[in-house]
Amino acid sequence: MTRDPIGLALSLINRVAGQAWLDRLGLRPVVEKTAYQGTRAGFRTLALAGREFRRVNEWLPKQRLPAKAPADLFDLTLDEDQQMIVDSLHRFARDTLRPAAAAADEAATIPAGLFAAAAELGLTLYAVPEAFGGVAETASPVTSVLIAEQLAWGDMGLASALLAPFSVAQAITRWGSGEQQSRYLPAFCEESPPLATIAIDEPTPLFDPLKPATSATVTGSGYCLNGYKSGVVLGAESDLILVAAELHGRPRLFLVETAGADSIRVKPDPAMGLRAAKLARLEFKDLRLPADALLGGDDFDYQAMLDLGTLLRCGLAIGSAQAVLDYVIPYCNEREAFGEPISHRQSVAFMISDLAIETDSMRLLTWRAAARAETGQSFHREACLAHLLCSEKAVAAGSHGVQLLGGHGFVREHPVERWYRDLRSVATLYGGVHA
């Protein structure tokens, strides 16, 4: 984010909100509310300025966010903008997502006003270059992972839904043509951004995302799309869907506008987890698309798209695993058996220690891969390693959480059983989010 007066003021407010003396004086709720409201107002001001710029320059050449210069050493220290984002989104996750998560999971729906609240924070602005109304200046996979972590700490299902439009904007920014960027990106900077998602997964055993069965054929006016997609986040509600399909023997992404598309059949695709993300199954039957529906040109890298999506899904896993850890520690310290807290038992203490070690291991490996991607270095190997570790340890984190709570971990009175179900998705899904 540009370090203009708005950014500097928001940074100062968030820095004050993190001081320990606020608790002693009982001022933390007031200051945090001020920080939250200030962040919303600041991002709304940035968005309005961007919209006016877009009206003056209706069509712009394609923009590519530059990579950051590689550092001599791998540094895990967050810069001021990243720390401000983490602080603001953690408050949002704690005050908005966490209280709404149980009801959203039970009803398999998204609370009214949630997208409006996220829009007021300017979430999608981080995905859009300044020329189109956003605040992004460089490619920022690390920041994207941080955003995913904080939102998933509140709830992974709701986080997946909030990140879906953000992910589509990221993909268009990274690979879209100038015309595609000018058409779609300014909309993500409006006060009410469009709902959008990415459809990759298919209802096929041992599905390989590099070999989608959904196919696109060339027609006289564009393309014709046929196939199925499953587990699509916000699939029934999205205005814009990026659909992975095979074209000339290669996987590509197609921009599909759902308004008036009679050739798309949608039905719910309920799953054991991510219920709040409103997963859907889509069928494309002879869907006609214009010639400019193909995302990007020769610079499109499908494998990199998958790898960046993997990193964001790892971020979701880290956030949920951290939520489990933060929940079980006070529970085990307060829960007594045989006259002492159960945390005094070595088996319990060791399990909590393992959970903390594994969560930090997931974080370090994911941040390392994201840092390489951010500086323009090869990161496929690192992304695969992060995905392998997170797929295994995310499931273990959910299982440990249920085990540590005993019978309480199995009932819906506590959120651990929901986190366990959501964490199972890390090893099984590919689509929906993108870094």
Side-chain angles (χ1 to χ4, degrees), residues 328-353 404:
V328 299
I329 290 176
Y331 178 90
C332 292
N333 284 335
E334 297 168 3
R335 182 78 171 177
E336 292 190 358
F338 305 105
E340 63 178 356
I342 62 174
S343 60
H344 290 185
R345 305 288 175 175
Q346 279 192 340
S347 60
V348 172
F350 287 168
M351 188 176 293
I352 294 175
S353 298
L404 287 167

Side-chain angles (χ1 to χ4, degrees), residues 216-276:
T217 55
V218 179
T219 65
S221 59
Y223 303 94
C224 181
L225 200 63
N226 284 279
Y228 296 86
K229 294 295 177 183
S230 61
V232 181
V233 175
L234 299 177
E237 300 183 359
S238 292
D239 306 301
L240 179 66
I241 305 177
L242 283 181
V243 181
E246 180 270 333
L247 176 67
H248 301 315
R250 297 173 51 201
R252 295 297 299 266
L253 287 182
F254 290 84
L255 292 152
V256 177
E257 298 181 28
T258 60
D262 297 331
S263 300
I264 304 177
R265 298 179 182 176
V266 184
K267 66 177 182 179
D269 196 16
M272 66 179 291
L274 301 183
R275 289 172 51 82

Side-chain angles (χ1 to χ4, degrees), residues 23-208:
D23 294 316
R24 296 194 297 270
L25 299 179
L27 297 176
R28 180 168 298 280
V30 176
V31 174
E32 288 192 341
K33 183 177 180 180
T34 301
Y36 179 72
Q37 297 292 340
T39 304
R40 293 196 309 175
F43 287 138
R44 188 182 299 115
T45 301
L46 289 171
L48 289 172
R51 282 201 296 274
E52 185 172 352
F53 178 80
R54 175 182 59 83
R55 285 196 295 268
V56 175
N57 298 276
E58 187 63 26
W59 298 103
L60 295 173
K62 66 181 179 182
Q63 304 285 319
R64 294 289 184 262
L65 295 176
K68 293 184 178 179
D72 294 333
L73 298 174
F74 176 44
D75 187 2
L76 295 177
T77 305
L78 304 184
D79 62 34
E80 291 188 13
D81 290 334
Q82 289 173 330
Q83 190 61 57
M84 183 186 73
I85 292 169
V86 167
D87 293 341
S88 298
L89 289 182
H90 187 77
R91 286 191 291 270
F92 177 72
R94 182 194 63 200
D95 299 337
T96 303
L97 298 186
R98 184 70 68 88
D105 179 81
E106 182 70 24
T109 190
I110 299 166
L114 182 63
F115 282 105
E120 290 179 333
L121 281 174
L123 185 60
T124 53
L125 296 179
Y126 298 116
V128 179
E130 290 182 284
F132 298 104
V135 297
E137 296 178 327
T138 62
S140 54
V142 173
T143 301
S144 298
V145 170
L146 294 174
I147 291 172
E149 282 188 37
Q150 296 308 315
L151 293 178
W153 187 88
D155 181 69
M156 184 186 283
L158 294 176
S160 297
L162 292 176
L163 285 172
F166 173 82
S167 304
V168 171
Q170 288 271 43
I172 297 174
T173 293
R174 191 176 186 93
W175 288 293
S177 65
E179 183 176 352
Q180 290 167 341
Q181 291 180 337
S182 297
R183 180 184 305 168
Y184 298 112
L185 290 183
F188 288 98
C189 301
E190 299 288 344
E191 187 171 346
S192 299
L195 295 183
T197 191
I198 301 177
I200 295 179
D201 293 278
E202 296 178 353
T204 304
L206 301 177
F207 169 66
D208 183 354

Side-chain angles (χ1 to χ4, degrees), residues 358-386:
E358 291 163 357
T359 300
D360 271 352
S361 298
M362 291 159 54
R363 180 176 288 112
L364 290 174
L365 207 53
T366 301
W367 284 16
R368 177 60 173 167
R372 289 184 63 86
E374 189 164 285
T375 53
Q377 303 177 73
S378 62
F379 68 100
H380 174 65
R381 173 182 176 273
E382 288 74 14
C384 290
L385 291 175

